[in-house]
Amino acid sequence: MWFALNEMKQQTATLLRIEEILLRLEKLTEFQIRTQQGEVKQMAVIDDSITALQADVTAQTTVLTSVQTFTAGIPAMIQTAVNSALAQGATPAQLQALTDLKTGLETNTAGFAAAIVAGTPAAA
């Protein structure tokens, strides 16, 4: 009888220990679920940020392409105006300011393009 009672106490202690372990596992599982849910929320925020950044880059690309097209055409417009003025009797000296402006724009455009190339990492 004493043996059976002692064995029951041991089984009860073991069951209590198992219950304690199961409670800890349940808490760990809940923590893991909360952590995963937080990671999913963080990924959603990151995804939204990436989408917004992609939209910004697309908008900037559109604007920069327009600016590039416009600025690339200015020297040609100046040269057309100079040629027209020369054809109507203006002298090169009278048009020197426009010619200098055209040269300056071409130099600036070339410098800008070189700076972009220099600042762009090589493709991997």
Side-chain angles (χ1 to χ4, degrees), residues 10-89:
Q10 286 180 348
Q11 287 179 351
T12 301
T14 301
L15 287 174
L16 287 173
R17 182 72 178 135
I18 290 171
E19 184 178 346
E20 181 183 322
I21 291 170
L22 288 173
L23 285 172
R24 287 183 180 177
L25 284 173
E26 183 179 345
K27 287 180 182 180
L28 283 172
T29 302
E30 289 172 1
F31 176 76
Q32 184 179 16
I33 289 170
R34 283 192 310 271
T35 301
Q36 287 174 343
Q37 289 171 341
E39 289 172 356
V40 168
K41 288 178 184 176
Q42 286 176 341
M43 286 306 298
V45 169
I46 290 169
D47 287 344
D48 290 347
S49 296
I50 289 171
T51 299
L53 184 58
Q54 287 171 329
D56 288 346
V57 168
T58 298
Q60 286 180 352
T61 300
T62 301
V63 170
L64 290 174
T65 300
S66 297
V67 168
Q68 181 183 10
T69 300
F70 175 72
T71 56
I74 292 174
M77 288 187 281
I78 292 172
Q79 188 61 54
T80 300
V82 167
N83 291 343
S84 176
L86 287 171
Q88 295 177 25

Side-chain angles (χ1 to χ4, degrees), residues 71 75 99-115:
T71 56
T99 302
D100 291 344
L101 180 61
K102 175 185 168 274
T103 302
L105 285 170
E106 290 171 336
T107 301
N108 290 344
T109 301
F112 183 65

